[in-house]
Amino acid sequence: MSTTTRTDILVIGAGPVGLFAVFELGLLDLKCHLIDILDRPGGQCAELYPEKPIYDIPAWPSITAQGLVDKLMEQIEPFGPTFTFNRMVAGLERLEDGSFRVTTDEGEIFEAKAIVIAAGGGSFQPKRPPIPGIEEYEGTSVFYSVRRMEDFRDHDILIVGGGDSALDWTLNLQPLARRLTLVHRRAEFRAAPDSVNRMFALHEEEKIAFQIGQVSGLKGEGGKLQAAIVKGPHGEVEIPCTRLLPFFGLTMKLGPIADWGLNLHENLVPVDTEKFQTSEPGIFAVGDINWYPGKLKLILSGFHEVALMAQAAKRHISPGERIVFQYTTSSTSLQKKLGVAG
Amino acid sequence: MTKITIIAFDGTPFNLDAENGSTVMENAIRNGVPGIEAECGGACACATCHVYVDEAWTGEVGEPEPMEEDMLDFAYEVQPNSRLSCQIKVRDELDGLIVRVPERQG
Ligand SMILES: Cc1cc2nc3c(=O)[nH]c(=O)nc-3n(C[C@H](O)[C@H](O)[C@H](O)COP(=O)(O)OP(=O)(O)OC[C@H]3O[C@@H](n4cnc5c(N)ncnc54)[C@H](O)[C@@H]3O)c2cc1C
Ligand code: FES
């Protein structure tokens, strides 16, 4: 299945810093492909605080986080970056010719001349709910996403949560389940009203069960789940189940970056402040994920970092080539790249 | 200054002078109250600043907004007096407020 996608630079993470890297690298004629586990660009800005105004972006006295992402997407458009969303970068290795191969958790393969790690606080991953002993069942009975619906056929399924994921999977898995129970803390849902109505209709027809409460414990053996204890308004009930799908939102975890043989400093990637290069030549790190003395986790700082990093990446890829310093206001060659030449 | 008390899970009380307009979460973080993580920095986006409001104060503190109520779905052991401390703004009427930190933040 796997074809290999080739690009100049592979950017891991499409947060604000990864996005602006596309601009600075683009001015130096380097093409970027970006991979992010989220389903859209913007990193923390898009996922955690899209509506909040940011007050410390130079020349923008106030701009919402999503507004900033939209502007960045507009600004990098002339460079035609390509994106792969909903994928986690799992593997990173150096090939014999000095270039790099990147693999995703779904087995896609990318090859690039240099790597830019713009992974922020790490990849957004599903939160593990604080149910004692849940680890023991993960991957066998407890799942945080549905990759193959067949793995759920004829099971007693318990879905926990009140958002779109919980509701969508309740609707999608109901036809295959032996029995399906939805557990949520209250009778109000954050999900699309249509899904909520369909869920209540199924409940009315007694095709699913709905229980108000919070899961407080699990029963089972050797990774095989048998039941969940749910604390509800009228005390505890035990709900038999062999599959549990908790949907408790996302949190940022460093993830596979720890396994790539890079030096780390408290879960951050140390870089020098000239090239923003990691301990591995050709692998750069910018934005919240990197560390150097005096580092501030600000978008502003990330933007500065990518400008210097781009120069270093260009030198890494084309060692002999002379890089001419130019301004976008006055250089016709830069203006051509931006599509604004008169 | 308004006096508020945040009681850590182990029972240690933190008696704090809080500025009106600041959030209970900000005061907890500034004074290193254990058990308040506030990963998202007060954006109502992480539910790791969950507290229980003392029963005597639930009326004055008030009910969570819908966005906070949604976020509380991600907290652990949510009770009727659960609030996200980044969404409670200190004001004169809350002088003497008591909140308790839960065992864990999810
Ligand atoms: C509530 C809040 C308010 C803030 N306010 C401000 C402010 O006012 N001013 C300011 O300057 N900064 C602010 N920040 C900080 C700012 O958002 C960050 O500095 C900025 O988002 C960092 O950008 P980034 O591109 O480095 O990383 P991120 O935005 O964290 O993006 C990284 C992306 O990489 C992805 N990723 C990581 N690892 C992988 C992998 N292995 N595979 C696939 N994808 C991966 C992640 O899913 C994520 O989407 C705020 C942050 C928060 C949470
Ligand atoms: S600090 Fe994140 S929700 Fe309160």
Side-chain angles (χ1 to χ4, degrees):
Chain A
M1 59 159 263
S2 303
T3 51
T4 301
T5 309
R6 290 195 169 74
T7 173
D8 292 332
I9 309 272
L10 193 116
V11 182
I12 302 170
V17 179
L19 294 178
F20 197 60
V22 173
F23 185 89
E24 291 294 335
L25 290 160
L27 289 180
L28 299 170
D29 301 311
L30 296 171
K31 269 243 173 228
C32 296
H33 186 88
L34 300 87
I35 304 180
D36 203 298
I37 195 161
L38 292 180
D39 60 3
R40 59 197 187 287
Q44 295 175 44
C45 293
E47 179 62 29
L48 295 180
Y49 60 109
E51 311 283 320
K52 291 229 159 196
I54 306 177
Y55 300 104
D56 60 350
I57 303 297
W60 286 95
S62 167
I63 184 169
T64 62
Q66 186 59 49
L68 178 73
V69 174
D70 294 343
K71 285 283 168 200
L72 284 166
M73 289 298 285
E74 182 185 328
Q75 196 168 19
I76 65 177
E77 214 241 1
F79 301 108
T82 46
F83 294 88
T84 301
F85 290 115
N86 298 307
R87 292 292 186 277
M88 176 153 79
V89 174
L92 170 60
E93 57 182 315
R94 188 190 292 274
L95 302 175
E96 254 168 39
D97 65 356
S99 67
F100 297 91
R101 176 175 294 158
V102 161
T103 43
T104 68
D105 52 348
E106 291 285 313
E108 291 111 331
I109 299 173
F110 298 84
E111 286 181 7
K113 297 171 190 161
I115 302 292
V116 174
I117 303 178
S123 63
F124 278 100
Q125 290 175 26
K127 255 194 210 167
R128 167 187 287 161
I131 303 169
I134 190 167
E135 297 89 342
E136 197 190 318
Y137 301 99
E138 284 172 355
T140 48
S141 301
V142 173
F143 298 90
Y144 296 101
S145 61
V146 178
R147 290 259 150 134
R148 274 171 28 99
M149 298 220 327
E150 277 306 308
D151 297 342
F152 293 79
R153 183 179 291 279
D154 298 329
H155 276 279
D156 291 339
I157 305 174
L158 188 74
I159 295 183
V160 192
D164 282 307
S165 311
L167 271 283
D168 289 350
W169 286 117
T170 297
L171 301 174
N172 288 330
L173 291 176
Q174 180 272 324
L176 345 167
R178 202 166 80 107
R179 181 169 40 189
L180 190 147
T181 310
L182 175 67
V183 171
H184 183 43
R185 176 173 81 79
R186 55 201 171 113
E188 290 84 48
F189 292 83
R190 303 183 305 283
D194 175 54
S195 318
V196 178
N197 293 338
R198 284 167 58 203
M199 185 278 292
F200 277 121
L202 286 176
H203 179 49
E204 208 115 291
E205 296 164 35
E206 298 189 2
K207 288 190 172 149
I208 64 162
F210 170 54
Q211 173 75 44
I212 292 188
Q214 300 170 68
V215 177
S216 60
L218 301 176
K219 280 192 175 169
E221 241 180 314
K224 285 202 169 153
L225 187 62
Q226 288 157 358
I229 319 286
V230 176
K231 249 193 227 164
H234 311 293
E236 283 188 358
V237 286
E238 195 175 308
I239 300 178
C241 58
T242 50
R243 286 282 182 273
L244 173 66
L245 276 166
F247 293 107
F248 274 72
L250 301 176
T251 182
M252 294 189 100
K253 290 227 184 83
L254 182 63
I257 295 172
D259 310 327
W260 297 342
L262 301 169
N263 288 345
L264 293 181
H265 168 92
E266 291 174 358
N267 273 348
L268 298 169
V269 182
V271 292
D272 66 86
T273 50
E274 181 196 344
K275 298 177 176 159
F276 295 91
Q277 189 163 256
T278 67
S279 54
E280 286 291 317
I283 305 182
F284 301 86
V286 289
D288 278 14
I289 191 75
N290 76 11
W291 183 84
Y292 50 84
K295 167 73 185 183
L296 288 178
K297 288 189 186 182
L298 288 177
I299 296 167
L300 161 74
S301 309
F303 287 172
H304 159 77
E305 292 164 16
V306 296
L308 298 199
M309 175 281 292
Q311 301 281 322
K314 179 75 180 177
R315 288 204 178 87
H316 176 84
I317 291 172
S318 318
E321 207 172 304
R322 207 163 69 89
I323 305 179
V324 188
F325 177 77
Q326 304 175 86
Y327 290 121
T328 54
T329 34
S330 46
S331 154
T332 45
S333 99
L334 292 187
Q335 288 169 2
K336 252 193 216 134
K337 296 174 196 179
L338 289 165
V340 294
Chain B
M1 287 291 179
T2 301
K3 295 219 177 294
I4 63 169
T5 300
I6 307 176
I7 303 175
F9 184 69
D10 69 3
T12 312
F14 288 74
N15 300 307
L16 310 175
D17 288 321
E19 212 170 303
N20 282 352
S22 66
T23 67
V24 170
M25 177 280 279
E26 287 169 329
N27 289 282
I29 293 292
R30 212 173 288 145
N31 293 281
V33 177
I36 298 291
E37 294 168 10
E39 265 173 29
C40 80
C44 198
C46 72
T48 62
C49 63
H50 174 204
V51 294
Y52 301 122
V53 175
D54 186 89
E55 301 292 347
W57 286 93
T58 48
E60 189 59 61
V61 170
E63 296 285 314
E65 300 275 320
M67 171 158 125
E68 178 185 343
E69 191 69 70
D70 285 352
M71 216 50 227
L72 275 168
D73 288 344
F74 300 139
Y76 176 63
E77 292 261 1
V78 178
Q79 297 172 9
N81 60 338
S82 285
R83 288 291 310 263
L84 294 178
S85 58
C86 69
Q87 303 301 307
I88 308 176
K89 278 218 165 109
V90 175
R91 48 194 156 83
D92 286 339
E93 294 78 10
L94 295 185
D95 194 48
L97 171 71
I98 299 171
V99 302
R100 291 182 177 79
V101 179
E103 182 181 359
R104 50 204 285 192
Q105 295 288 350

